[in-house]
Amino acid sequence: MPNDDTSGISFPKRLRTLAFPRSGSGSPGKAAVQDAFDSDRDDDFKLKHVTQLGQDRPLKDRIETLLIAANELYRCSSSTVLAILDAAQDLFHATAHVDSRKAGFTFLTKTAAIVDLDVSIRAKVFECICEPADSSCLAGKIKAIDKLTERGTKASAFQPHVTGFIGELLSDCFVAADRSRSEKRSKSSVSEEENNLGTVWTVLNNLMINDFPSLDAIHASQLLTILTTICKRTTAGSDLTRAIAVISAFAVCAKVPNENLDPLINVLCQTLYAREKCRDATQSCLDNIFMASDSSMAMEVLLRNLSQMSDDPASIKELRGSLLQLEHIYKMNGVGAYPGPPLAELVQALKDAATVDHGDRTQNQVTLALSLNAIASVVKNEVIRQTLIDSDWTCMEGIVDVVARAAGPIPADNISYDDTTPASPLFLFARNVEIKDSMVSEEMSRPLQGICRELYGIYPYLSSQKRAVVVNLLLFLSNVVEPAALSVVIDYMEDYRIVFPPDENWLPHLALLTDRGFLKTSKHSSYQLRMIELLSNVYSSISGEHESANLFGQQLAKLVKKADPGSSLAVNYRLAGLACKILRNASMPTFDLLLAALVGLAVQKTSFDPAKRTSAVPDDRVNTTCIHLTESFLDCLPDQAEKARKICNNLVAIAATLNASTEARLDAIRLLVRLRSHSMNLLEVVEMPDTLGLAATLAELQPATGPSNGFAQSNKPPLIEEISRSRSDDNAGLRYHGGENASSRPQSVKGEQPEGPHNESIAPLKTSTTASRSTTTIDLSAWLQLVLHILEKGSQWEIYSYILIHLPSQLTNVSLFANDIPLIEKLHDLLVYQLQKGKFSEPPTSTDLRKGHVAVCLYQTLTVLIAYSGWFLPQKMTETVHTFLIGISQWSQTVKCCIHALALCCHELPRAIDRCLPLILTKMSQIITQSQFAIDILEFLTRLARLPAAYQSIGEESLRTIFGICIRHLHHSREMRQVAAESANLGSSNSSKRCSNVSGIGAVPSDYSQVISTDKELPEYVYALAYHDITHWFLAIPIRDRSKHVGWIAKNLAWKDKLGKEIVEEQSQVTLDMMHRTAYLDLGETMRSSIPAADEEHTIKKMYLVGMSIVTMETNSTTGLTYITKRQASGTTNAIYQPCTAPLPAHHVVAPDQATTAGTTSSPLIYPQHVLLQLNSTISPMPIPEQPIVLPDDGTPERAISQIDRIATVDSYKAGVIYIANEQKEEREILANTAGSEAFDAFVAGLGTKVPLQGAAFNTCGLDKLSNTDGTHTIAWRDRVAEIVFHVPTMMPNLEHDPQCTNKKMHTGNDYVNIIFNESGSPFRFNTFPSALNFVNVIITPEKITARQPHSRLAENDEREAVETCYFFLVQVLCAPFLPEISPAATAKVVSASALPSYVRQLALNAHLFSVVWSEREQGEELVSSWRSRLREIRKLREKYANTGNSANVGYPEMGTAEDRGGARSYIEGDEWRGTLAMGGLAEKGQFLMSLDFTRWT
């Protein structure tokens, strides 16, 4: 830039020194004007106006002449214009009158507007414009210079002076405009001064762009000073924008003087921060300045601005603008085009900026955020990045301090880091963590992430010292950086092992790592998982060092205490899992700290609500701590009893915490319901408890088939796996699936016991059932109290329903709660109250369940409580029975379960049943029309009839009710059988087969979960049961009252078909026969007396068909002693008849044939016919159909009688009784048992009587009676209707030639029913004993041996005698897959030892009957009882000998045919008969005389 000596001269004088080039004579501008004056006129115009402008003329005239001339100048020649301009020269002078100056500037403006004006004239005009003038002429000057330079685009002729002039003009205009802005009222209007300023800005900007002036240093400095001043003072954004544009244009073409550099950068930095709209332009302007000036000086200005501590607002703006510019420079990689400052100076300046205190927290945060942005751009710069790798990092502590300030404090109550020594590589972090005046904001998190990302990128190239700095930074920023960057921290910890002993700072390092590196990274689960893995490795390295391990555990407890419950499932699982791993070996103080921390985490609620889970919500946002407390409990259970006790107590507390999440409470409850007491009062946890069918009643949703957390499965116990899977299910509540959706229930293999007995872990942890409590006990009273509270007050449906399903199963473990009887009694009272009043929680409408489904669960719980009856007062048991009666009529879903419960009560509470029997029968008669309950009712009546203690007070009305129920179901069964027969005849379909439903979750199908019309599908079984009940109950009536019921029963045994024909079917006939035999007889079975050998030669034998019986009479012809055997369908009666013959009078004459020889008669004195006549008839005419039929002595009747005698007079049943010892699973080893446990022996003894096999007179059901191959004895039981023989393998010998026990299997394998006494400790599998005939297995599992503590208020005559010990057993009936579940023990029942034999025996009897009915039906046959078989044999004889003449007296051969009998007809079954009353008898028409001949049928 030139520096001449004219720089201090005024503009007019300097202009006069300029030599302007002259234009040619032929100026094109003049010729271009169409109406220009010709030369003469031009001369005249010039003369005239020059004259009038003379200084001697009045000023007013001169001004007027000048204005007139201005309007005509465009016509004038250049000489004329110049002449006029010269004449008016004095009017432009600064001393001239203001009016003249205004007119002069008008003239100058007109002159400047002339096209192609001569250069000399233009120079003259510019000189005149530059004359000093007051502010009133400012507008004129602006217009003139604007016209002259054509808005700054053509000013080269006036350089270099025009730029300085416009700069001065700009300053004046800005002052005027600024004043105008402050004075004007309307902000929307634009003042003249503002318009003038705008014009000047335009001229100056165009001048800089199109014709940059060659200014000297002074003029350049002056212009920049003016522009700097305007930037500082202006309030208008337009001024800033134009000023920045001018400065930027200047910087592009020229170097900014050094003296202007500092103020100019400062003001631009202020603008850069304060004026966001101008930010891009300002940054561009600063870029130009840095490029055109001394960049090192410019950078020094920025760095100085960063270090200033002034509270002046302008200084703050300069500071923040400088930070923005630094960020911009390094972000755009500006460094490299010009030298940057040393790294140490740059870092120090940035640190000073970040740590400046403005006296206001918010302001400090703003500056800190800008500082972080600048630091981020610095470390991203390629040049700086290489510098960072190569240079010393002492200065980087400044960056650490800045980051520490941004990262925020760690809570003061968390950890103290005073133990961290300066030698620690994390000392930078440790010394700064207590800064508490800054927290991370959104504005700061982005640059912090950028800083860490860059440092993470160069980490592999750094030395260990530099890596330590990076790790410190990452620890500070652990809550904002990405996981990949955080992995550097883990790498550093592992590579340099600073968290492992023997590092002197390993524990403080661990604290720093966990508190900052873990707690602040809740969004980075992958990093947290790696950190947990590192912690696990640390623990593994110190697990053998007790003190270090406890210190580690205490630190981990603090970490767990501060952990985020909203972390992912994987993080929470691993963290809690590590804590659980430590629990086992930790000292008790450390254990308590860890346990408290885990419990605290468990009860915290997450932000995610599992009840609102959708597919869009990840499954890992659930608090999983309770799962790991459960795992820890299982881990401690075997040999850490005190720890297990504490964990258990805390799980109860978690389950009771209402503020805890539903999921957490459920996790705790899932373990608590699995607690069981082992046989030695040891605690165990079952893997999959039997829900007693309730999981099928309230069908739980399918558990996930795989892990829901997305990470590899650990070696978790099955219980933990089950809990984890159940958490990932949608809608944890329960739903009912019926009808077509029934198949969607969770399924398991049919015929298998649930996993209830399988233990997860066993511990030497005594339960509270021991009389003298041991050192470590578990008190489950709190758990029972919680259950009571939930059942009474209600809870979330997920919790309430889970308790409903699983509580009954746990209560079956009587020994677990034997010392909490007061609470059990409260539970009993609560259930009775709720069920009687109907006041219990209803399921949500969304579950599709009804109140009756909840009642099923409550009734099942009440059923289990029957086992506790020994501790209750008798009246409570009566209330229990009444409650079951309410369930029969209140809800359709509860009918079956209540009937089954009453069946159990018959054995356990016979007196309560006796007291309530009339009401029970009334309730059952009220549902007589609901045929789906027929089997349940009839089986109940069958069971009740065999238990006299349960109906001691029964009355006639109750008996009529029983018979009425049986008859009603009998009629319905007949109807169903007739319909089935008609359908079969029509070929429409065969009888339907109902296959067993598969079981629910961990349980067999609930017999309550569905109401099936079994009688419609099995009418044969209902039919058989109804007749059995009639028989049993008739025999149960006292003999004195039996005859009162015969008439009503007999009337209803007959029925009419569709044609109105009365029919008495075979089973009715044998039932009538039974009543005929027993109505007046209760002596029991009779036996035939043997005829003495001496009398055999005098014995006369005669056989008759008398009605539907065979009467055999064997008469001693000399004494009259007659042995009468009457064979009927229902039995055989043996009797003796003998005339009481008086001695003959002395005067009596002896007939010749009565003469004796040697004391003997010569001929018979009496015949069997006499006995028959005496017992069976008089002289009254006997109708032919009623006349006895004489059976011939040809051997045929004897063969028929022999066949009848081989048919038992009772129905024969059989069942296997198999003992499974501990851990036995295979069929061979089970059958090889030759002895059972004491409990098994007691049970077998109660099943029946031990009877010898050799020479047995009863049906041994295949057991050898000759050679003791099947043992010497067996167990059998019999009443007047049925006989059951038990095949007991333990009573059979093991044969040397039969190692596979085939002989034993030959018996048990051919039994429809097997009773399995399972002491194996494992669930029984139905296919353990494969057999085509293996239909039903009755599984008996010993519960526990429990000290019985009878209620102190029990009456002395209570039905349950107090004993020292009492066994309880779980009884469950498993059926083959093709059979329906109809047994009252389809769901397990708890039965006492005293009631077990009778309960199981009746189950076996009914199961055998059902199996036989099913098997016969499958073969297209029907069940034929032994009585019916005997009846059929009798009927065969009648068909053979009735009305055939074979029975006629041989003395009347002419009467042997129908013709010889005088036309008497033959009678067959179904014929009608009419007779005439005569002599007290009946005689058919025309057959009177013949009917008097009694010899025909004797």
Side-chain angles (χ1 to χ4, degrees), residues 1001-1024:
I1001 299 176
V1004 297
S1006 170
D1007 45 352
Y1008 321 138
S1009 62
Q1010 48 194 325
V1011 178
I1012 61 170
S1013 296
T1014 312
D1015 69 303
K1016 294 180 181 179
E1017 302 176 9
L1018 292 173
E1020 298 89 351
Y1021 185 51
V1022 176
Y1023 176 81

Side-chain angles (χ1 to χ4, degrees), residues 925-1054:
S925 66
Q926 291 172 353
I927 59 172
I928 197 172
T929 57
Q930 301 180 43
S931 57
Q932 65 267 33
F933 305 121
I935 290 178
D936 307 291
I937 295 174
L938 293 174
E939 283 191 345
F940 169 81
L941 294 176
T942 302
R943 183 181 302 274
L944 181 63
R946 288 192 166 112
L947 299 169
Y951 60 87
Q952 292 178 355
S953 305
I954 193 170
E956 290 190 13
E957 186 64 32
S958 296
L959 287 169
R960 280 193 292 270
T961 302
I962 291 174
F963 291 128
I965 293 173
C966 297
I967 294 298
R968 172 64 183 84
H969 287 301
L970 190 60
H971 288 337
H972 182 74
S973 174
R974 287 186 185 127
E975 294 169 2
M976 297 307 301
R977 293 172 68 204
Q978 186 174 5
V979 170
E982 292 174 356
S983 299
N985 292 334
L986 294 174
S988 60
S989 63
N990 294 325
S991 299
S992 61
K993 298 180 181 179
R994 177 179 179 273
C995 289
S996 175
N997 284 338
V998 293
S999 63
I1001 299 176
V1004 297
S1006 170
D1007 45 352
Y1008 321 138
S1009 62
Q1010 48 194 325
V1011 178
I1012 61 170
S1013 296
T1014 312
D1015 69 303
K1016 294 180 181 179
E1017 302 176 9
L1018 292 173
E1020 298 89 351
Y1021 185 51
V1022 176
Y1023 176 81
L1025 281 176
Y1027 277 114
H1028 272 67
D1029 284 345
I1030 292 174
T1031 301
H1032 283 299
W1033 280 103
F1034 184 82
L1035 295 176
I1037 302 173
I1039 190 171
R1040 63 180 179 276
D1041 297 324
R1042 289 178 188 171
S1043 60
K1044 300 177 183 178
H1045 299 274
V1046 171
W1048 189 87
I1049 296 174
K1051 178 182 66 175
N1052 286 281
L1053 287 178

Side-chain angles (χ1 to χ4, degrees), residues 747-753 994-1000 1003-1005 1324-1327 1335 1373-1382 1386:
Q747 300 179 352
S748 65
V749 179
K750 174 69 185 300
E752 295 184 0
Q753 270 193 302
R994 177 179 179 273
C995 289
S996 175
N997 284 338
V998 293
S999 63
V1004 297
F1324 176 76
R1325 303 296 177 181
F1326 192 86
N1327 59 0
F1335 280 20
V1373 173
L1374 300 181
C1375 294
F1378 52 83
L1379 293 178
E1381 296 284 0
I1382 60 174

